[in-house]
Amino acid sequence: YFIKNFFSDFTYLEFYYGNNIITQNQSVEYLYFLKEGKVEAYCDKSIIELNELLNLISQKVKNNNEHIKNELFNINNKLSLFGKLNKNFTIKMKSRLLVIINTDIFGIESWINGLPYIYNCTVISERAKFYKIPLDKISMLLSQIKETRELILNDANKRLEVICTRLIKIINTRIK
């Protein structure tokens, strides 16, 4: 069923070391399925911008866990007191969020929550193999295969929670 009805919607791509697959803040047009390789997801943002991203994610995501809400509240308080006055908080720095090796989906957490891509994604192995699919096609696919839809939605929400936790750690480390 899948091969007959959906496989032709996927485009096979190969990227090489240093190639950027997605760029933060761009609107989501495709989802990228990593078949093989090693990829780094990271942000190039200042502390202030990371905090703004964390607040945006928090507003969009339903059922945010209490730990993330409390940490975000504490960060917002710290930054409101002295953050905008500290020039170090406006300097952009590369912040690694995730390193993924083989089989994963990039952009799903952004798409599901109506966000632009929230990170850059760059190949850090010699080569990485991907399949990409346009959003309209993935919507149709997920509507046809309900069990897969639930698994992908749960995975995307878990990934977003991991990203939020990592952003909190990065911000707290930098504002000490």
Side-chain angles (χ1 to χ4, degrees), residues 25-28 53 56-61 107 109-118 160:
N25 300 328
Q26 285 186 341
S27 61
V28 178
L53 174 61
L56 176 64
I57 291 169
S58 177
Q59 291 168 6
K60 292 277 188 176
V61 176
E109 63 285 320
S110 296
W111 172 59
I112 286 172
N113 291 292
L115 298 165
Y117 290 123
I118 58 176
L160 206 52

Side-chain angles (χ1 to χ4, degrees), residues 97-161:
L97 300 174
L98 306 164
V99 173
I100 291 99
I101 301 170
N102 298 334
T103 64
D104 210 332
I105 306 171
F106 294 93
I108 190 88
E109 63 285 320
S110 296
W111 172 59
I112 286 172
N113 291 292
L115 298 165
Y117 290 123
I118 58 176
Y119 49 74
N120 296 300
C121 190
T122 301
V123 175
I124 58 174
S125 58
E126 186 177 320
R127 177 175 69 174
K129 298 176 182 180
F130 285 86
Y131 288 96
K132 81 173 182 178
I133 186 168
L135 293 184
D136 61 330
K137 301 294 184 178
I138 195 73
S139 295
M140 195 176 353
L141 173 88
L142 293 178
S143 70
Q144 299 282 326
I145 308 171
K146 295 193 183 338
E147 306 83 39
T148 303
R149 181 179 190 279
E150 289 305 312
L151 287 172
I152 287 176
L153 292 175
N154 287 337
D155 190 49
N157 287 329
K158 286 178 188 173
R159 161 94 55 88
L160 206 52
E161 195 170 293

